[in-house]
Amino acid sequence: MSPTDTIIRVRGLTREYRMASETIQALAGVDLEIAKNEYVAIMGPSGSGKSTMMNVIGCLDTPTAGEYWLNGVEVSRMTDDELAQVRNREIGFVFQTFNLLPRASAMHNVELPLIYAGTRAADRRERAGRALERVGLGDRMHHKPNELSGGQRQRVAIARALVNDPSILLADEPTGNLDSTTSEEIMAVFADLHRQGQTVIMVTHEADIAAHAHRVVTLRDGCVFSDMLGQAA
Amino acid sequence: MPLFEAVRLALQTIWTNKMKTAFSVIGVFIGVTFLIAVVSIVEGMNNYMVDRFAGTLLGINTFHLRRFPNFQTGEVTPEMWRSWVRRPRIRYEDADAVEAAITVPHIAAWESTARAELEYRGRIARDIEVTAATERYFEIKDLPIEAGRPFSAQEVKAGAPVLVIGWELGERLFEGRDPLGREVKIRGIPYRVIGVVEKQGNLFGISLDKFAITTAHAPAKRFVNPPGVVDALIVKTGSQEELDVAITQAEAAMRTRRQLRPAEENSFAIETADAVLDFWAKINRVLMMALPGLVSISLVVGGIVIMNIMLMAVSERTREIGIRKSLGARRRDILSQFLVESSTISAVGASIGVGVGLAAAAIVNATTPLPAAVAPWSIAVGVGLGAGVGIIAGIYPASRAARLDPIASMRQET
């Protein structure tokens, strides 16, 4: 694996939370490298540190200690606003609860990252439209989230995550709120995106969902417990 | 996020929260309405006082020599009033002496006024202002003759029973027929109408076109004043400087005639438009000084209301803020989103205030004799203040929103 292919490089990543008198170590020195076009699932029981891992990788949180290089840039010491720009350009989030703006149309939801990237309105609409078509929602662009099914909402979220051509698609329990049929559909979308060259990182506690990934990293007590290539690879 | 985008978003949010917005803008709305309406009315009064009142009733570069002021500005105590009515009247000889004493170029006229009934073939016009004047009166008072002619110096000297009448009086007495040459009776004595003055309009709802002017020595002088007395000598000069000189000379001449010692006050009044305008300026100043206080109270209240509404909005929309931040919104994006929202709310309130203020001014104008002229600056100030209040009221809530942690905000249940 050549260094240019590495998208994420994490060294000794530590994240501590101070609660009243005691200090809780959510991440205790994680080392991890993820290359371009990998499809990785991060697994672990609750309290294993996988949510913290996801927040740090997603640049929503900064580590207490350790290094985090994203696409060759050290992001572990950045300010809030710098991180916001990194999130805008490099990361596409897909959340368990979709996290769409309820009063905005699918189109407007997908446009949001482009608004913060400063893209011109006409350009924005065109790109958002294309992203929605890519996830099969070309005919639902002007629907509001409450007029869409759970699977469709998650597709809108995926379109929003993709619209800025991010380095990584970061999904946090993407099927947690969906029934099994719809979950399979969403997994099929992920597989498809991966085939098209997208790097996908997925945090989940469900083994059958993690089985869709090509590599499964398991965390336990804030450390990497196992890191293995899955049967899908 | 570009400003246009932010304003659009703000308007969208306002539209979805119509009721909340309506309540939150009341303070700003009242403040701005008040500002526009009061300024319009004061401004209108101002124009009126300067252009019409002072100009029409007193004249520019003009003074009136009278026993006591016709327009009492300020408080007149009973003692003052008693001393005024004890003053000697202005006599023909006084008027002649004063005119002779003035060396700057000027024109002068006598004026004596009383109210009387005019009768034409059984039709009676009651309570008409009848003025006995000399021939330059029309020139001094700026009363252009629309039909017929003014009376001449010879007619004044001879005491000719001729009348120049106001437009409305003519309409009333003659019902549309040509007034010229018709005979009108005042207290049983016939007068011939020789001229009609152009329409003058009205002042505070009182018509300025219901008057009759006759010659100073006409039979009417017997009921307008005791023998040998005039109400006023009116002197008009070409400039303010000449007027000042003329006033000094007139005052000196009168004091000499009345044999007043230096310590004694004038036993007569010299009245100019300035005195009335000064008085008006004083009222105007008081109003304009009270106005900012009243307006700012309602704006401060309005600002506090908007601040509370925005704090509520921030906590209601914590999740939205978290989502936006996760998608790349920086602090300043969130800050400006909420600032634009609060100032848009406030500007909407201010705009409604401007509209209602303008409507109030128009209604006052249409239904009362009070004139109201909208001052363009008051609209600008109103909207500016409104938006300013919104920005100031929005700073605290917006900075709270901007500082929210994206992870914690997204975890919040809605």
Side-chain angles (χ1 to χ4, degrees):
Chain A
M1 187 158 46
S2 71
T4 46
D5 280 347
T6 308
I7 286 226
I8 288 173
R9 197 176 67 192
V10 161
R11 285 278 170 272
L13 202 68
T14 305
R15 180 67 172 96
E16 290 170 351
Y17 294 101
R18 220 172 290 276
M19 306 277 243
S21 54
E22 56 179 327
T23 304
I24 294 164
Q25 207 165 38
L27 293 177
V30 174
D31 296 330
L32 187 67
E33 270 185 42
I34 294 172
K36 208 170 170 186
N37 198 22
E38 271 197 284
Y39 188 174
V40 183
I42 296 175
M43 282 198 72
S46 63
S48 61
K50 64 180 192 303
S51 290
T52 308
M53 189 67 193
M54 135 103 196
N55 288 339
V56 173
I57 289 178
C59 294
L60 289 166
D61 197 2
T62 47
T64 316
E67 288 173 15
Y68 172 22
W69 297 74
L70 174 62
N71 231 353
V73 181
E74 236 245 277
V75 297
S76 40
R77 300 285 173 268
M78 280 186 170
T79 64
D80 280 4
D81 280 357
E82 287 166 334
L83 287 175
Q85 279 176 307
V86 172
R87 287 196 294 273
N88 186 253
R89 281 196 301 262
E90 307 284 355
I91 295 158
F93 286 103
V94 177
F95 299 99
Q96 177 176 7
T97 51
F98 320 132
N99 279 345
L100 299 174
L101 296 189
R103 280 195 279 267
S105 65
M107 180 65 136
H108 185 75
N109 267 295
V110 177
E111 272 184 90
L112 278 175
L114 297 173
I115 288 177
Y116 293 116
T119 313
R120 280 186 304 117
D123 223 1
R124 239 162 42 209
R125 232 151 285 150
E126 198 219 307
R127 283 171 66 180
R130 253 191 286 134
L132 280 164
E133 271 161 19
R134 210 170 147 192
V135 295
L137 283 177
D139 55 342
R140 295 278 195 282
M141 287 185 194
H142 303 291
H143 288 57
K144 294 200 172 149
N146 60 8
E147 300 160 347
L148 298 171
S149 70
Q152 286 170 330
R153 287 183 212 184
Q154 197 59 299
R155 283 165 192 263
V156 173
I158 294 169
R160 182 179 68 184
L162 294 174
V163 74
N164 249 3
D165 295 322
S167 308
I168 44 179
L169 183 68
L170 191 56
D172 180 15
E173 307 275 9
T175 59
N177 277 15
L178 302 173
D179 60 52
S180 51
T181 322
T182 320
S183 295
E184 286 307 317
E185 276 174 39
I186 295 298
M187 284 302 104
V189 172
F190 277 25
D192 203 35
L193 291 170
H194 174 244
R195 256 196 306 282
Q196 290 167 34
Q198 181 69 51
T199 311
V200 181
I201 301 172
M202 179 168 68
V203 175
T204 183
H205 68 275
E206 291 174 74
D208 52 337
I209 292 298
H212 288 87
H214 297 185
R215 176 182 166 194
V216 179
V217 176
T218 310
L219 295 182
R220 192 158 291 177
D221 301 325
C223 297
V224 177
F225 176 74
S226 71
D227 185 348
M228 50 193 169
L229 295 181
Q231 59 271 67
Chain B
M1 180 159 27
L3 186 66
F4 165 74
E5 201 71 44
V7 172
R8 210 181 54 133
L9 181 68
L11 287 174
Q12 242 166 37
T13 312
I14 288 168
W15 187 245
T16 47
N17 299 301
K18 285 180 278 289
M19 278 309 272
K20 208 192 287 171
T21 310
F23 285 117
S24 57
V25 300
I26 283 177
V28 173
F29 160 72
I30 291 174
V32 173
T33 303
F34 199 71
L35 174 82
I36 303 285
V38 170
V39 169
S40 298
I41 290 166
V42 170
E43 188 81 0
M45 290 283 283
N46 217 353
N47 292 346
Y48 218 56
M49 289 305 280
V50 176
D51 294 355
R52 302 289 310 274
F53 189 72
T56 307
L57 296 183
L58 289 163
I60 311 296
N61 297 331
T62 301
F63 75 81
H64 290 224
L65 171 67
R66 292 179 178 278
R67 185 151 68 129
F68 52 80
N70 202 16
F71 299 102
Q72 279 97 30
T73 59
E75 208 189 346
V76 180
T77 61
E79 294 86 72
M80 268 169 85
W81 184 256
R82 273 197 293 277
S83 81
W84 282 0
V85 294
R86 273 202 305 273
R87 286 176 174 181
R89 291 166 184 271
I90 308 292
R91 305 195 56 80
Y92 294 169
E93 304 79 47
D94 295 325
D96 285 337
V98 166
E99 236 205 292
I102 296 172
T103 56
V104 292
H106 68 277
I107 53 176
W110 298 0
E111 177 194 64
S112 295
T113 299
R115 297 201 162 263
E117 264 179 33
L118 272 68
E119 191 228 304
Y120 173 73
R121 293 190 187 168
R123 289 186 64 82
I124 290 172
R126 286 193 178 79
D127 203 28
I128 299 300
E129 196 180 72
V130 177
T131 301
T134 52
E135 68 280 2
R136 310 299 293 269
Y137 186 75
F138 302 98
E139 210 176 316
I140 288 186
K141 285 285 189 172
D142 193 21
L143 296 172
I145 306 294
E146 186 181 71
R149 59 173 180 88
F151 44 73
S152 67
Q154 286 76 13
E155 282 169 315
V156 170
K157 209 162 282 170
V162 290
L163 277 184
V164 173
I165 60 170
W167 172 86
E168 197 179 333
L169 177 61
E171 289 284 295
R172 243 216 252 169
L173 275 181
F174 309 116
E175 296 177 295
R177 278 167 290 184
D178 184 11
L180 294 181
R182 294 190 192 273
E183 225 162 58
V184 174
K185 279 184 181 159
I186 306 175
R187 304 219 168 172
I189 296 169
Y191 291 77
R192 194 160 50 86
V193 177
I194 59 166
V196 178
V197 174
E198 264 180 24
K199 197 171 177 175
Q200 298 292 298
N202 59 65
L203 190 65
F204 300 126
I206 300 159
S207 170
L208 293 176
D209 293 298
K210 291 195 288 191
F211 60 85
I213 304 165
T214 184
T215 56
H217 299 294
K221 75 175 174 184
R222 268 177 308 203
F223 70 85
V224 295
N225 259 325
V229 167
V230 291
D231 280 351
L233 168 71
I234 313 173
V235 175
K236 181 172 188 164
T237 61
S239 69
Q240 182 64 47
E241 293 73 39
E242 288 174 350
L243 180 67
D244 292 340
V245 174
I247 287 174
T248 315
Q249 291 171 336
E251 199 179 349
M254 278 305 287
R255 290 185 69 91
T256 311
R257 285 185 63 78
R258 297 265 168 100
Q259 297 177 331
L260 299 175
R261 282 188 297 273
E264 278 181 295
E265 280 187 11
N266 286 346
S267 59
F268 52 90
I270 288 179
E271 196 173 30
T272 61
D274 285 352
V276 175
L277 287 181
D278 280 353
F279 179 65
W280 168 247
K282 223 180 287 169
I283 297 176
N284 201 351
R285 255 199 310 280
V286 172
L287 283 173
M288 284 301 188
M289 258 157 65
L291 187 65
L294 292 168
V295 170
S296 49
I297 287 171
S298 40
L299 288 184
V300 165
V301 172
I304 293 170
V305 173
I306 290 178
M307 179 148 85
N308 276 300
I309 296 282
M310 291 311 294
L311 282 172
M312 240 163 78
V314 169
S315 58
E316 270 173 14
R317 282 151 64 190
T318 302
R319 195 183 173 89
E320 174 194 324
I321 295 162
I323 295 170
R324 287 178 182 276
K325 284 197 146 189
S326 77
L327 298 177
R330 290 157 301 177
R331 281 183 184 208
R332 77 175 102 112
D333 293 317
I334 301 295
L335 190 80
S336 64
Q337 179 187 338
F338 281 90
L339 277 186
V340 167
E341 195 170 314
S342 68
S343 48
T344 307
I345 287 177
S346 185
V348 165
S351 308
I352 298 171
V354 167
V356 174
L358 293 182
I363 289 170
V364 165
N365 213 359
T367 58
T368 71
L370 277 179
V374 174
W377 66 262
S378 67
I379 298 177
V381 167
V383 174
L385 274 181
V389 163
I391 291 176
I392 290 168
I395 286 174
Y396 175 59
S399 68
R400 270 184 59 160
R403 281 200 309 267
L404 285 175
D405 170 50
I407 300 170
S409 329
M410 274 192 293
R411 217 174 278 144
Q412 197 202 45
E413 287 303 317
T414 40

